[in-house]
Every structure is written in structure tokens, then in C-alpha cells.
Amino acid sequence: MAKTIDESIKAQGGSVGRMSYVRVIFALLARDLAVLRKTAAFFVIRVVMQPLLFVFVFTYVFPKIGQGVGGGGSKEAEFSTLLVAGVVGISIIFQAIQAVALPLVQEFGYTKEIEDRALAPMPTWGLAIEKILSGAVQAVFAGAVVFPIVLFVPATPVHLHIDWPVLITLVPLAAIVSGTLGLTIGTLIPPNQVALIFAIIVLPITFLGAVYYPWASLTPISWLKDVVLVNPLVYINEGLRAALTTGVPHMEIGYVYLALIVFALVLGYVSIKGLNRRVVG
Amino acid sequence: MNDRSDVPTAAVRTVKLRKVYGNNVAVDDLDLTVNGGEIFGLLGPNGAGKTTTGGMITTRVLPTSGQAFVGDVDVVAHPAEAKAKIGVVPQSNTLDRALSVAQNLYFHGRYFGMSKRVAKEKTDELLTRFRLEDRAKLSVSALSGGMAQRLMVARAIMHEPTVLVLDEPTSGLDPQSRLALWDILRDLNGAGQTVLLTTHYMEEADELCDRIAIMDHGKILALGSASELKAKAGGASTLLVKVSGDPGELIQKLENAIGVDERVKIVMSESGVKIIGKDVAQLISKVVSSAEGLGLKVYDLSLVQPSLETVFINLTGRELRD
Ligand SMILES: Nc1ncnc2c1ncn2[C@@H]1O[C@H](COP(=O)(O)OP(=O)(O)O)[C@@H](O)[C@H]1O
Ligand SMILES: [Mg+2]
């Protein structure tokens, strides 16, 4: 008689149930990383281009041609410094959305490529968690790739003060929130409206995400200061400022963690439901 | 496992399985049993509910009500366990385009809990067995339809499922690839693999399946081996009439001349007018005179031995391919 998979898993020292779901999730992650490795050069280009140009123009070209952003002299240095967090944060969230939402469009498209993975022996929520983790891992890569650029490209020196405990807890949390956001977008937006994702979600999130200015500096426009609180990138960038710099104002770090955990839970729930609805007819 | 272990469990069993989309009943309280070791075919026209039935059995469609079991696993209550026991070949090409031919198999094995080494060995073995080894490193988009289908079958059986479920496995394949796939399925079945397939090709059901369920409007109309079904049709056979000119008028006239009831049915098909029933041979003279009365020239007239299509038309009054 043919051995069933349960027996095969047992024979290999695994067990059926929660533990085997973890194995399946790791196998799916390994698949995503294999795909990423194949396209590593494209990944780096995609991740690096926008921040490189941004940092180059605003913190190298502008100061050199006397068009400093944020005033002159020490203000320029401050701008370069506050931008570190913003550009790393934007890379994290942007990459997670790209890594999770865009492939889903094809995977759910005409060919339903997702099916083989949806048929892996675990519940659909397992696939959702894998997608979120995969996006998060790629987001952390993106942040790491971008980091040296924002350090070394600016014409004025960047002053970092790294708070390690905050950094190593905040970055994964930010990446996971970004992964849940990517999956939420990917499962809620109809596949034929990808361009819409960018217009109505990615652009507002990035432009109003406290990237180019600390959140506190929005005080003169108090309605906007309140409205942007629905934007997870605000907390990610404020948290990164707390983790990387001193002297740049940032939101109370406790609120940052609280908000990011709430986002992770809410978006995680919504995206698991969304994926389930898309996978099971 | 328990004291029932000597009672053979069905490979697949559905109990009043039902799926309703809006107010469209796609699958209507279906009771179905697929025995271990057989090739079971769901035969029916487009929209009969075959894909939906297969989808519910393979955890991809949530039933509105009723139950489906693979072995003794309830697929709705325990989808993860059920997935471990099924191999699925969907109707469309669902190969992972981001991966190579070999990687499609390798990662499938990994998803199903195989170690790296076992997954690698099984991949090589399957590539050889399905004559894909020289394509191993290629992208799956470089495969022909027949090769892609072979790879999908290889992937589906890689984890040794209790049942292999295929949805319209040969639609869209050229005749040669179709025959090749039939051979593959026969070989797998010969080695003990239970197979559940859907099809709207009567030849496929006839050639390949041990038992066939004829399905229409979400219900099973008849069930049995091909020969049993043909016998159940009461020896009905088909008289195929080809005329020059509009056969519509002829059908009208024949319906009046012969009188259509449950014993005799008349349908128009691509190949001509089909008259299905018992002893239709006796109607030949009536057919010819009716045609002549309308000024139509009968240029071919043949008696076709009972086929599953005859059975289907006999059951529904419609052609299988409509
Ligand atoms: N996702 C869906 N949403 C709405 N109706 C559906 C869906 N899938 C199938 N149907 C309907 O259910 C019926 C059965 O479809 P299907 O199972 O695909 O039949 P078959 O595979 O035999 O051609 C059809 O009337 C079809 O239109
Ligand atoms: Mg179908």
C-alpha cells in the first residue's frame, strides 16, 4: 500500500498537527526565497532606485547648489539625519507591499497558480501567515540594503544614535505590519486594478507617512496631524527615528509599539479572512 | 486503527453534498462513493456541476451543506488532513511560473513534509518517469500543453495521495497527448492509484473509467460501468441522418410522424439529426419519406451502436456537448 503523507511525516520524525504546519510554512518560505534569489539583481535595483535618487537629490544635490531643504547649515544635517528613518521605513513598507500584493494578483489570476500552495497540507490561515512572513523578510532585506545609502550619500554628515533594543524589536514588528498591509491590499483589491493600489494606497501612505518630516512638525496643520494617525508608516518612521537618532523629535515609543501591534492584529485578521475568501470558493 | 479497519473505507464519499451560488444550485444533494482502486468518472455537459463537486471534495470550494470525506477525513472539518490525502490536477495550468520544472516538483514535495533529500530523489524519479528530465531546468512556460499536463499529474501524485482528482484532464490537449495521458492514468491506476476525474468527453469516460456517474444540473442521473449504462439505456441506439438543406424542418416533421416520447428522442447535432431510441432502425423508411416530402435529400444514414452519448441523450433529451 502507498504510504500516506501522515505516515511519511511521522517516518521523518515529524508529527501531524501544528508542528507540521510550521514545516509547511518554512517550505513555502523556502520557495519564496528561491524565487527571490533567482531575481536578486532585480530585487536590489527595485529596492535601491527610489531611495538612492531621493537621497541623492535632496541631501547631495540640493545642499551643493544652495537649495537646502529645511534651511541651511545645521538644518541640512538635521534633514539628512531625520531622513534616514524615513527612507528606511518607506523601503520596508513599500517592499512588503510589492512582495506580497503584486504576486498575489498573478497567483489569483487566470491560472490560479496559488492553488498548489493553497493545497499544501495546512489550513488557509497558514498560507496567509507565510505570505506575511515572506513579505516581512523581504522588507527587512530592503531596509538593510537601503540603510548604507542614506548613511553615505548625503553631502552633510548623518548623526546616528542607535538604540539597539528598540531597533531589533521595531524593525521586525514594522516588517510584519507591512506584510499584513501587503496581504490586505492583495486580497481586497481586484486583480485587474493593481494600478489603483498605487494611486489610492501606496502614494498616500508614503507621502503622508512622516517620511520627510517628523510627525510632531505637523502641529500647524492639526487636522492632518490627526488624520495621518491611520497610516501605519507614521508609526514605523517615528519608531525608527527613536531607534536611530537623537535630537529629532519622535512620537512616544510606547505609542509606536502599541499602534503597530494593533495594526498587526487588525490587518492580520482582515488579511487572513481576505485570503481565505479568495482561496476557498 | 480501530475495529472498523477491516471494513474497506471508500476513497471518497459525499453525503448530500450541496453547493448553491445565489439561486443557482450547482450541486444538488449529491451522494457519491468512489471505491479504492477504481477510476471513477463524472461525465456531464458544461455547467453540470462537475468542477464544483471536485472543488468541494478537494477543499477548494466550501459546501453549502452536506459532507465530503476523503478516506475517513471530513474535508470541511479537517481540510489540512484532507489536503494531505488528495492529489489535484485542476482544469487550468496551475504550475508555479516562478519556478523551474524540477522546482515545481521539489517544492511540492517540501510542502508535503518531505526532507530535502527525499524531495530531490522523488523529483528526479518523477521527471524520468514522466519523460521530463531533459526539461528539468526550464521554465514551466516552455512546456507544451501535454508536457505541462504530465508535470501537473506528476506533482499531484508526488505525495502519494489516497485519491488523484483530475478536472477535465484532457480538454485542450491534442489527440496524441490525450492518448498519452490516458496511458499514464491507466498505469497509475494499475499500480493501485484511485482516480476521480471529470470529463465531458464520452470517449474518455468510456475508455478509461471503471465506473461513470452521468451528471447534469448538479445531480447524478445514472451510475455504473460503461456497459451497464449502455445496457440500462434499454438497447437504445442512434440513427444518424444527414440531409442537404435545413434539418430543422425535418426534425419538426419527424416529431409529428414518429411521435416523440420517453422511448424516442430527436436532437440536432453538428454531424446531423440524431434519432435515439430502441429499434430506431425500423424508422428508416419513415425518415426517408419525411425528408423526401420536404424536398430534402438524405445523403447519409447510419445506425450508431449505443454509446454513452446515446445514454445521455436518452436521459436528458439533450446532447452532451451543448
Ligand atoms: N464561483 C462561482 N460563482 C457562481 N456560479 C458558479 C461558480 N462556479 C460555478 N458556478 C455555476 O455552477 C454551475 C456548475 O458549474 P461547474 O461546476 O463549473 O460545472 P462543470 O464543471 O460541470 O462545467 C454552473 O451553472 C456555473 O455557472
Ligand atoms: Mg468544469
Side-chain angles (χ1 to χ4, degrees):
Chain A
M1 263 319 281
K3 251 195 315 184
T4 67
I5 188 69
D6 299 8
E7 286 158 352
S8 317
I9 291 174
K10 277 179 198 134
Q12 288 169 32
S15 68
V16 187
R18 290 293 143 97
M19 270 317 290
S20 69
Y21 300 166
V22 173
R23 281 178 76 128
V24 181
I25 289 176
F26 272 105
L28 289 161
L29 281 171
R31 178 258 173 215
D32 287 354
L33 290 182
V35 173
L36 189 62
R37 226 178 7 249
K38 254 191 213 176
T39 55
F42 299 113
F43 174 81
V44 170
I45 292 170
R46 205 169 63 209
V47 165
V48 160
M49 226 37 205
Q50 199 228 18
L52 181 64
L53 287 171
F54 190 88
V55 174
F56 179 68
V57 171
F58 282 88
T59 68
Y60 184 86
V61 176
F62 275 22
K64 295 259 169 184
I65 63 176
Q67 273 212 315
V69 176
S74 68
K75 283 284 179 121
E76 274 166 18
E78 196 182 300
F79 183 65
S80 302
T81 303
L82 86 84
L83 210 56
V84 173
V87 172
V88 170
I90 213 173
S91 301
I92 288 177
I93 203 162
F94 195 75
Q95 182 53 36
I97 292 173
Q98 280 216 327
V100 181
L102 294 190
L104 274 182
V105 171
Q106 180 176 347
E107 290 168 354
F108 278 120
Y110 176 67
T111 61
K112 276 218 153 200
E113 266 178 77
I114 193 83
E115 251 181 24
D116 189 49
R117 279 166 276 161
L119 284 165
M122 67 173 168
T124 312
W125 56 255
L127 183 60
I129 287 174
E130 188 276 330
K131 289 269 173 200
I132 292 166
L133 289 177
S134 175
V137 168
Q138 296 183 51
V140 172
F141 283 169
V145 168
V146 165
F147 194 61
I149 295 174
V150 285
L151 282 193
F152 299 119
V153 172
T156 51
V158 170
H159 304 288
L160 293 191
H161 263 271
I162 298 181
D163 183 341
W164 285 104
V166 173
L167 189 68
I168 58 174
T169 49
L170 191 91
V171 168
L173 182 58
I176 285 171
V177 169
S178 306
T180 59
L181 181 65
L183 189 58
T184 303
I185 293 170
T187 53
L188 295 188
I189 302 271
N192 51 2
Q193 272 154 22
V194 200
L196 202 65
I197 294 181
F198 284 84
I200 65 168
I201 301 175
V202 178
L203 288 180
I205 282 179
T206 51
F207 273 90
L208 300 173
V211 178
Y212 320 110
Y213 44 82
W215 176 68
S217 64
L218 283 178
T219 305
I221 322 172
S222 64
W223 65 268
L224 187 61
K225 193 178 177 191
D226 292 341
V227 167
V228 298
L229 288 177
V230 301
N231 183 350
L233 185 56
V234 168
Y235 304 95
I236 292 174
N237 286 337
E238 291 291 309
L240 284 171
R241 271 181 205 117
L244 295 172
T245 55
T246 52
V248 181
H250 61 78
M251 193 184 284
E252 189 64 53
I253 192 72
Y255 289 128
V256 170
Y257 280 109
L258 180 66
L260 288 179
I261 288 168
V262 170
F263 271 113
L265 293 176
V266 172
L267 292 175
Y269 179 80
V270 171
S271 62
I272 287 172
K273 287 277 165 211
L275 188 72
N276 201 51
R277 199 170 44 240
R278 292 291 287 275
V279 168
V280 183
Chain B
M1 204 203 311
N2 55 32
D3 55 354
R4 288 182 309 136
S5 60
D6 51 356
V7 182
T9 14
V12 175
R13 192 161 56 90
T14 70
V15 182
K16 288 205 165 303
L17 191 62
R18 185 180 186 81
K19 181 67 182 182
V20 181
Y21 289 111
N23 47 19
N24 175 12
V25 182
V27 176
D28 195 354
D29 292 347
L30 196 73
D31 292 310
L32 192 80
T33 301
V34 178
N35 299 320
E38 73 177 340
I39 303 187
F40 187 97
L42 276 179
L43 173 69
N46 265 334
K50 307 181 296 294
T51 299
T52 308
T53 302
M56 288 191 282
I57 291 168
T58 56
T59 75
R60 293 168 304 152
V61 175
L62 203 60
T64 306
S65 61
Q67 286 175 297
F69 299 89
V70 174
D72 48 14
V73 176
D74 180 330
V75 303
V76 177
H78 305 287
E81 276 180 57
K83 288 178 200 178
K85 291 179 182 290
I86 51 172
V88 182
V89 179
Q91 187 168 3
S92 62
N93 177 338
T94 60
L95 294 171
D96 193 334
R97 263 137 235 260
L99 301 178
S100 70
V101 170
Q103 282 178 319
N104 262 274
L105 294 175
Y106 172 79
F107 281 108
H108 181 89
R110 300 283 288 144
Y111 305 158
F112 281 79
M114 290 174 200
S115 69
K116 288 181 182 166
R117 187 181 54 79
V118 173
K120 176 88 187 50
E121 283 169 7
K122 281 226 120 196
T123 297
D124 293 341
E125 178 197 318
L126 287 167
L127 287 174
T128 310
R129 185 159 147 213
F130 286 79
R131 291 176 292 114
L132 290 164
E133 65 267 57
D134 53 337
R135 317 270 157 160
K137 294 211 157 56
L138 296 185
S139 150
V140 292
S141 43
L143 297 181
S144 70
M147 289 181 200
Q149 194 66 325
R150 291 211 298 275
L151 182 56
M152 297 235 288
V153 174
R155 186 178 69 175
I157 60 156
M158 187 174 188
H159 55 282
E160 296 171 0
T162 305
V163 60
L164 171 64
V165 182
L166 307 102
D167 194 9
E168 307 263 5
T170 64
S171 75
L173 291 190
D174 58 88
Q176 203 183 337
S177 304
R178 170 174 302 163
L179 293 180
L181 193 73
W182 286 357
D183 281 339
I184 287 172
L185 295 179
R186 276 194 206 100
D187 285 350
L188 287 171
N189 180 247
Q193 177 69 59
T194 307
V195 178
L196 166 60
L197 64 86
T198 77
T199 183
H200 68 275
Y201 293 116
M202 53 165 183
E203 305 91 335
E204 186 156 282
D206 206 340
E207 282 282 323
L208 206 56
C209 298
D210 299 310
R211 286 196 307 145
I212 299 157
I214 296 183
M215 192 170 184
D216 196 25
H217 298 305
K219 283 196 165 103
I220 289 178
L221 304 179
L223 175 73
S225 68
S227 52
E228 282 167 2
L229 289 172
K230 288 173 197 167
K232 261 189 222 163
S237 51
T238 302
L239 187 61
L240 179 63
V241 187
K242 296 185 185 180
V243 291
S244 57
D246 177 19
E249 278 183 70
L250 179 62
I251 290 180
Q252 196 72 53
K253 181 142 188 189
L254 284 173
E255 280 173 353
N256 295 333
I258 301 168
V260 180
D261 54 24
E262 55 280 3
R263 286 174 300 117
V264 182
K265 297 201 166 64
I266 304 177
V267 294
M268 177 135 64
S269 76
E270 278 168 35
S271 45
V273 175
K274 286 179 177 170
I275 304 164
I276 289 104
K278 220 173 161 176
D279 308 327
V280 282
Q282 292 169 4
L283 300 172
I284 290 176
S285 60
K286 265 190 190 167
V287 170
V288 174
S289 61
S290 300
E292 276 169 357
L294 290 167
L296 297 170
K297 189 169 160 3
V298 177
Y299 65 86
D300 190 18
L301 201 130
S302 50
L303 193 62
V304 184
Q305 277 319 297
S307 70
L308 288 175
E309 182 160 56
T310 317
V311 178
F312 186 81
I313 297 174
N314 203 39
L315 286 166
T316 64
R318 285 184 295 119
E319 262 211 308
L320 197 48
R321 270 166 253 198
D322 55 357

